[in-house]
Amino acid sequence: MRKQVVVLFLILTSAIYFSGCIDDIIPVDETTETANASEYTLDPFIANVSCECGINTTTFYLFPDSPVKAVYVLENVDRLEVVPLEDITNPGTDVLSNIVIVAKPGGYNGNPAATVRQLSTSGPMDSIDYTLSEESESGQTKQVISFNQSLTGFVAYTMEVPMGQDFMYVPSHLSTVRVVLPEGYTTGNQFIGKVEPAPDSRYVDEQGREVLVWNNLRQNTSSSLSSMAKGFLPSDEEEQEEIKFKTLYLKYYSEDAPRNLLIGTSILGVGVLLVIGNYLRNRKKLNETIRIAEENWKKDKNR
């Protein structure tokens, strides 16, 4: 009897363990009822086809105290890695939601840029299966969207972020990066909201929103010494260099914030000057009172 209980316990334990290690496969055709492509702007923005990242573009649409809308333009890729921001104030929620894929098989597109432009105006696409899983590497957790084939086109999702007006992006692939700020907001003031690294360009779109663009967030990790060492190695012994990226961080604020800060600082400064002036005036009166009292005391003493 005891042996049967032990065997049953081991079977139940193994079932629970293995069930937690299997990723849930989420076919797009089963999520079409909840996925809403109209929530996204499929903008075929292509900075420079001849650049190292090709047509790959990552665009984030920011909203005050609301989830971020992310839209990727991808060329011939079979997976997308996302490093989300951890929201400790809202644990247990789905980090990524409303995943929308508007794409074509990547190996059958003669002109990827033309394909993306066509897809931006096309209607509903055929269902494309994907797998949403979680991976950890060097203590960093990533959400991974894997496709059943290489795709060229758009991948969009909604990402939960901590409340506030701070945004951080950890790149996982070569891409031109755009951040679209809410209308009436800006960034870059060293006292209110910084942005690192500095964007390569910025402009205002048709809706009056400020857009920041980074052409390349790849870190330059090569050195003259390492390059010289590689020159002495046979080509088949050279190790594949791991691409490292700069982390993008920005804090955005209302366009009126600098003026309001200046007004508030001026009022505070005037208040401080009034307090200091009142203190000095009362101190002078007190010293004068003490001086008169000492003189009267000396006169009374000499009598």
Side-chain angles (χ1 to χ4, degrees):
M1 181 69 180
R2 182 179 298 177
K3 183 177 180 180
Q4 294 177 348
V5 172
V6 172
V7 172
L8 180 61
F9 175 79
L10 292 176
I11 294 175
L12 291 174
T13 303
S14 301
I16 295 173
Y17 174 79
F18 286 110
S19 64
C21 295
I22 300 176
D23 298 323
D24 295 330
I25 298 180
I26 311 175
V28 172
D29 57 357
E30 293 182 6
T31 61
T32 51
E33 295 181 358
T34 57
N36 186 5
S38 63
E39 293 186 7
Y40 304 108
T41 302
L42 303 184
D43 183 4
F45 177 87
I46 299 175
N48 186 356
V49 181
S50 62
C51 72
E52 186 178 6
C53 58
I55 68 169
N56 290 337
T57 303
T58 305
T59 304
F60 296 101
Y61 296 87
L62 307 186
F63 305 92
D65 300 328
S66 297
V68 172
K69 306 290 185 182
V71 178
Y72 290 75
V73 175
L74 301 173
E75 177 184 354
N76 198 23
V77 298
D78 58 4
R79 59 182 273 149
L80 175 63
E81 298 180 359
V82 180
V83 181
L85 298 180
E86 182 179 2
D87 188 359
I88 59 176
T89 63
N90 195 18
T93 58
D94 293 334
V95 180
L96 305 184
S97 61
N98 194 29
I99 299 175
V100 171
I101 303 174
V102 180
K104 290 184 177 181
Y108 299 94
N109 300 286
N111 188 336
T115 299
V116 169
R117 295 188 182 94
Q118 179 185 1
L119 290 172
S120 66
T121 58
S122 63
M125 304 294 297
D126 295 336
S127 298
I128 300 175
D129 292 343
Y130 68 88
T131 303
L132 178 60
S133 59
E134 185 176 286
E135 297 181 1
S136 295
E137 182 179 351
S138 302
Q140 187 178 70
T141 302
K142 299 181 292 186
Q143 299 287 326
V144 180
I145 306 174
S146 302
F147 316 117
N148 58 356
Q149 57 184 321
S150 295
L151 301 176
T152 295
F154 296 93
V155 176
Y157 58 81
T158 299
M159 179 173 63
E160 294 291 337
V161 295
M163 304 295 284
Q165 296 175 2
D166 295 84
F167 177 72
M168 185 175 69
Y169 169 57
V170 182
S172 59
H173 67 287
L174 290 173
S175 172
T176 297
V177 178
R178 296 193 306 162
V179 174
V180 181
L181 302 180
E183 185 177 358
Y185 285 78
T186 186
T187 186
N189 187 295
Q190 59 180 344
F191 299 105
I192 303 177
K194 61 181 180 178
V195 53
E196 294 180 351
D200 296 307
S201 62
R202 61 173 68 193
Y203 63 93
V204 178
D205 66 5
E206 297 178 353
Q207 301 183 33
R209 301 173 300 186
E210 186 172 350
V211 183
L212 287 72
V213 181
W214 290 262
N215 297 327
N216 189 359
L217 289 176
R218 180 175 183 174
Q219 288 187 1
N220 185 14
T221 57
S222 62
S223 63
S224 58
L225 183 60
S226 60
S227 300
M228 185 182 301
K230 289 181 179 180
F232 290 100
L233 292 175
S235 58
D236 56 346
E237 295 183 8
E238 292 184 19
E239 297 182 356
Q240 184 69 25
E241 182 182 0
E242 180 183 359
I243 299 178
K244 296 184 179 180
F245 299 94
K246 303 174 185 177
T247 298
L248 170 61
Y249 171 80
L250 65 85
K251 183 178 182 64
Y252 58 99
Y253 49 85
S254 171
E255 293 177 346
D256 296 331
R259 183 187 61 185
N260 296 336
L261 177 63
L262 179 60
I263 294 175
T265 304
S266 300
I267 294 175
L268 179 62
V270 171
V272 171
L273 291 176
L274 290 176
V275 171
I276 294 175
N278 185 59
Y279 167 76
L280 295 176
R281 184 170 58 255
N282 292 336
R283 181 179 178 182
K284 184 177 181 181
K285 290 181 179 180
L286 179 60
N287 291 336
E288 183 66 18
T289 302
I290 294 175
R291 185 185 65 80
I292 295 174
E294 289 179 347
E295 290 179 353
N296 293 335
W297 179 78
K298 290 180 179 179
K299 290 179 181 179
D300 295 338
K301 184 178 180 181
N302 293 332
R303 289 179 181 177

